[in-house]
Amino acid sequence: MDRPAARPEPRPAVAALPRYVPGARGAADGPPPVKLSSNESPYPPLPSVAQAVAAAGEVAHRYPDMFAVELHERIGAFLGLSAESVAVGGGSVAALHHVLQAYTGAGDEVIFAWRSFEAYPILTQVAGATAVPVPLTEDGRHDLDAMAAAITERTKVILLCSPNNPTGPTLRTAEVEGFLAHVPSRVLVVLDEAYVEFVRDPDVIDGRAALDRHPNLLIARTFSKAYGLAGLRVGYVAGDAELIAPVRSCVTPFSVSAPAQTAAIVSLDARDELLERVEAVVAERGRVADALAELGWTVPDPQGNFVWLAAGERTAEIAAALAAAEPAVLVRPFAGEGIRVTIGTRDENDAMLAALASLGANAS
Ligand SMILES: *Cc1c(COP(=O)(O)O)cnc(C)c1O
């Protein structure tokens, strides 16, 4: 009898990760689906950005600037920080990964709210550290008292997400300052502001300003959402240069491509134009939230480019019904919890609202 040959074994923490499941796609033959599942911008790149990307493609046989010097300088200048205070990555997911690689390993604990950004537990596990998820409050907010109580000797990093993906509310200045007062200065706190441009809550914590008050704080931001560059992969973390240097050491060489670097720079130049688009999404967000309230949904304060439907046990059923609608409406369900719906164009949002209304899905 043949014994099965021994196989190379991954690290147990990695073996335990769920296998990747591709997201929903519309039927190949039907009308194009309304894609509200990934918090993308509904708008294609600005002509100036598309041109810069095309031009970068002309010289794609060359390596990009390894240290993305100009991009670091431009982001630094934008934030009023030095280039050395910024670490760029292939999306802020990558930048966050590099933070965890730099600061955590076996035996270290990483605290984050849950449910929050899906990448947090995965990145923590891949880094070899232990995830400490702390349940959100009923209204989809971070429970900062519980998070403070979760701090132990082993806590190395705390991830905060404002506004919280997928539920929507921001973290407020007063609550974050109160929380940080309880966090030992040896613990690194990362404030993930992926949706900062969409926030209209006047009490929101201003991560950039908070950096000046808290030497153990970093902020994480991205060009994927408000700047509409999700497909090009540029994000960054920023903070004290001493904290950032080890993060930079973990960055995969050349991981931000030349088209991505140039697209991000041109997008910073075109920021005003891009913020007009953000304003349109914010206006639609208000309209969608009102319409959902009319349908009977209690939506947590939406401050990103998405809304949260606390569908609970009906989550899978409602997501499936939306996908079966004509046109198909693709959303992001979290089984047993709820559904995150990205704000799209007016027409896309109307298609989503019509599909929801026809379900009589006013469950919450
Ligand atoms: C989308 C998102 C990011 C970053 O995405 P990238 O495309 O990797 O830049 C980071 N944090 C949160 C909470 C997000 O929703």
Side-chain angles (χ1 to χ4, degrees):
M1 195 169 66
D2 284 346
R3 279 207 289 144
R7 251 203 288 243
E9 291 293 339
R11 282 164 39 221
V14 173
L17 288 170
R19 296 286 168 100
Y20 181 75
V21 184
R25 297 203 211 162
D29 45 354
V34 173
K35 190 166 183 291
L36 303 178
S37 51
S38 297
N39 289 355
E40 295 152 342
S41 169
Y43 306 109
L46 295 173
S48 59
V49 175
Q51 263 166 31
V53 170
E58 299 281 325
V59 287
H61 56 304
R62 302 292 181 195
Y63 277 104
D65 174 3
M66 177 157 169
F67 300 106
V69 173
E70 187 184 356
L71 181 56
H72 282 94
E73 282 171 356
R74 290 294 309 275
I75 293 169
F78 169 69
L79 294 172
L81 296 170
S82 68
E84 290 69 38
S85 305
V86 179
V88 168
S92 63
V93 159
L96 288 167
H97 193 187
H98 302 320
V99 170
L100 293 175
Q101 288 172 313
Y103 284 94
T104 72
D108 296 330
E109 294 176 352
V110 178
I111 298 175
F112 47 81
W114 198 251
R115 175 165 292 275
S116 187
F117 187 35
E118 289 164 280
Y120 298 157
I122 299 168
L123 299 179
T124 300
Q125 245 174 290
V126 172
T130 302
V132 180
V134 176
L136 297 170
T137 62
E138 279 289 303
D139 51 354
R141 294 178 179 276
H142 286 47
D143 186 342
L144 289 175
D145 291 338
M147 291 178 77
I151 297 171
T152 71
E153 296 280 288
R154 297 176 158 216
T155 305
K156 253 340 254 291
V157 172
I158 301 174
L159 302 171
L160 302 176
C161 188
S162 172
N164 189 53
N165 173 7
T167 53
T170 56
L171 284 159
R172 268 71 181 268
T173 308
E175 64 178 343
V176 174
E177 290 299 334
F179 173 72
L180 291 176
H182 287 286
V183 177
S185 58
R186 62 170 178 81
V187 174
L188 179 66
V189 180
V190 185
L191 176 63
D192 185 343
E193 297 185 298
Y195 302 93
V196 65
E197 297 86 356
F198 297 94
V199 173
R200 297 296 178 269
D201 176 353
D203 296 326
V204 66
I205 178 79
D206 174 344
R208 169 61 192 89
L211 290 181
D212 295 337
R213 300 188 294 268
H214 302 284
N216 59 332
L217 181 68
L218 298 178
I219 57 174
R221 296 196 181 170
T222 178
F223 286 88
S224 295
K225 309 289 164 51
Y227 289 84
L229 297 183
L232 279 170
R233 318 301 308 129
V234 193
Y236 59 91
V237 290
D240 183 87
E242 285 296 313
L243 290 181
I244 288 293
V247 179
R248 283 186 165 197
S249 302
C250 294
V251 173
T252 311
F254 304 112
S255 57
V256 180
S257 72
Q261 292 184 31
T262 188
I265 291 167
V266 174
S267 296
L268 282 173
D269 290 336
R271 181 173 158 84
D272 290 346
E273 212 175 328
L274 290 164
L275 289 185
E276 286 171 23
R277 295 171 155 197
V278 168
E279 201 53 53
V281 170
V282 168
E284 273 297 283
R285 177 179 77 195
R287 191 180 72 88
V288 167
D290 289 347
L292 289 170
E294 295 245 316
L295 289 174
W297 291 94
T298 305
V299 175
D301 184 18
Q303 292 289 324
N305 64 344
F306 54 89
V307 290
W308 174 250
L309 305 177
E313 294 307 320
R314 296 189 62 199
T315 293
E317 166 205 333
I318 293 173
L322 292 175
E326 186 80 17
V329 177
L330 306 182
V331 295
R332 179 65 62 92
F334 298 97
E337 294 177 56
I339 301 173
R340 191 193 68 198
V341 185
T342 305
I343 302 297
T345 61
R346 193 180 177 93
D347 287 351
E348 290 174 327
N349 301 330
D350 281 342
M352 179 274 293
L353 290 168
L356 258 190
S358 73
L359 298 179
N362 47 341
S364 67

